[in-house]
Amino acid sequence: NAGVMQNPRHLVRRRGQEARLRCSPMKGHSHVYWYRQLPEEGLKFMVYLQKENIIDESGMPKERFSAEFPKEGPSILRIQQVVRGDSAAYFCASSTGGGGYNEQFFGPGTRLTVL
Amino acid sequence: GENVEQHPSTLSVQEGDSAVIKCTYSDSASNYFPWYKQELGKGPQLIIDIRSNVGEKKDQRIAVTLNKTAKHFSLHITETQPEDSAVYFCAARATGTASKLTFGTGTRLQVTL
């Protein structure tokens, strides 16, 4: 059973370009979470999605960031017009359910570098 | 919202010694407390978790304790080995409301020979 998959693992963008990060949850998981980790810091929650729905986006910056989890295909975190401050590791996690004590399984992350 | 503080930020122990990492949380509604281990270049991996109706949980060399009154929880690793070297994160979640995890800032554990 494959774990959470993220691609690309490393992404380099110049300021002003767009970054698209993809996450395929574990088989059977319909809940996806995105977290951001700045160097030497903990993970910060960004957004929680179920298939075709955004459940909680309280951690998402108001501008330039968007996320989706379509009925078919991976979840996408999109960052428009990237700036150097967007450089970070972005982790996706998935779970079987959103409430209770459901474990969140993390992917290997996408390391975004903005030049 | 929830705030989780974690100490120490770095910890160096000799192989075979014990390591203790402590966290505090602010939201009394939090009732689920997982601990994650993150190795260099990888995503966090759950190593143990505890629910608020339990004071202590043990899994081989790893144990976690929870003091709900003081809003403290701690990770204890006994008989440390070099492969325990990693960054450890505590987290908290209120399962009845939000599903998001609030993480501590991490502890870099170094086990020396």
Side-chain angles (χ1 to χ4, degrees):
Chain A
N1 185 14
V4 177
M5 298 176 67
Q6 290 187 250
N7 64 81
R9 295 292 309 275
H10 300 273
L11 182 61
V12 179
R13 286 286 179 266
R14 295 190 182 280
R15 282 179 296 170
Q17 292 184 320
E18 178 180 288
R20 283 191 178 225
L21 288 62
R22 288 177 290 278
C23 168
S24 296
M26 287 180 67
K27 187 177 181 180
H29 288 195
S30 59
H31 299 251
V32 166
Y33 314 81
W34 285 93
Y35 293 85
R36 177 165 62 178
Q37 184 178 35
L38 294 171
E40 304 300 319
E41 292 189 13
L43 286 80
K44 303 290 187 185
F45 168 80
M46 299 182 73
V47 62
Y48 161 40
L49 311 101
Q50 294 180 34
K51 286 284 188 181
E52 300 184 281
N53 285 302
I54 296 175
I55 307 302
D56 180 358
E57 56 181 348
S58 59
M60 286 275 273
K62 292 291 186 287
E63 298 178 350
R64 302 187 298 108
F65 285 72
S66 63
E68 63 176 8
F69 189 16
K71 187 176 181 180
E72 301 291 338
S75 175
I76 305 287
L77 179 67
R78 182 184 178 200
I79 311 173
Q80 294 178 294
Q81 299 176 329
V82 296
V83 301
R84 290 210 172 117
D86 297 332
S87 295
Y90 293 82
F91 290 95
C92 167
S94 73
S95 66
T96 55
Y101 300 102
N102 291 289
E103 178 182 349
Q104 292 184 17
F105 294 83
F106 283 81
T110 293
R111 280 149 185 86
L112 172 66
T113 301
V114 179
L115 301 178
Chain B
E2 174 67 280
N3 182 49
V4 176
E5 295 189 358
Q6 182 171 348
H7 300 279
S9 57
T10 60
L11 179 59
S12 182
V13 299
Q14 285 197 319
E15 183 180 7
D17 287 351
S18 295
V20 180
I21 301 171
K22 298 181 179 182
C23 289
T24 61
Y25 62 99
S26 61
D27 188 352
S28 57
S30 289
N31 55 2
Y32 175 62
F33 307 93
W35 285 88
Y36 287 85
K37 176 183 180 181
Q38 186 177 28
E39 297 177 330
L40 192 62
K42 297 184 179 180
Q45 300 294 315
L46 180 74
I47 56 172
I48 195 168
D49 57 18
I50 191 167
R51 306 178 184 185
S52 60
N53 59 348
V54 175
E56 184 173 357
K57 182 176 178 181
K58 190 173 181 180
D59 182 4
Q60 299 183 345
R61 297 187 296 108
I62 295 174
V64 59
T65 58
L66 171 65
N67 182 329
K68 285 174 55 180
T69 303
K71 296 182 187 171
H72 289 173
F73 58 115
S74 301
L75 178 71
H76 303 252
I77 305 174
T78 58
E79 301 172 21
T80 54
Q81 301 168 3
E83 51 265 39
D84 294 329
S85 296
V87 179
Y88 291 81
F89 291 98
C90 61
R93 186 172 91 201
T95 59
T97 55
S99 292
K100 62 185 179 185
L101 291 167
T102 301
F103 283 83
T105 50
T107 296
R108 185 175 300 277
L109 174 64
Q110 181 69 44
V111 180
T112 58
L113 297 173

